[in-house]
Amino acid sequence: MKKLLVLAMLFGILAVLALSLVSAKTLVAGKIYNYDYSDTITGADVQVTCVHGGVSNVQNTISVYDGVYAVIYEETACYYDDEVTVYAEKDGLSGSKTGIVNKDVVLDWDISIL
């Protein structure tokens, strides 16, 4: 029984160490809405641009069910205090939002297409 407990503790310690070695990531996510936020828009083309160290890092995606979009950047491409712009377009209508990556390294931005 003691062996099993020691092995479980060792596994837990190794898991924590492994997680600490994983590089940080920045998540930019939200929903795309119509002009008055009364309905979500599925199938909008979404472009996320993060300026890190003077370099623009662009990722493209599409809003899926319920208007949700999401992109993940590695720490070397987008991180705390970097500027991010999200641009969405569908059927000739578009909208955008610009801001700074916060201390939590997560941006949760809803965008209206006008």
Side-chain angles (χ1 to χ4, degrees), residues 26-69:
T26 300
L27 170 66
V28 180
K31 286 187 177 186
I32 307 300
Y33 287 90
N34 65 349
Y35 72 97
D36 65 357
Y37 287 86
S38 63
D39 197 14
T40 57
I41 297 176
T42 300
D45 293 317
V46 181
Q47 182 180 68
V48 181
T49 304
C50 183
V51 180
H52 180 76
V55 177
S56 293
N57 299 292
V58 178
Q59 289 196 41
N60 295 303
T61 189
I62 295 175
S63 64
V64 292
Y65 174 76
D66 205 21
V68 173
Y69 73 92

Side-chain angles (χ1 to χ4, degrees), residues 66-86:
D66 205 21
V68 173
Y69 73 92
V71 298
I72 298 174
Y73 284 97
E74 294 295 326
E75 177 181 2
T76 55
C78 188
Y79 200 60
Y80 175 72
D81 215 23
D82 288 342
E83 182 180 88
V84 174
T85 299
V86 179

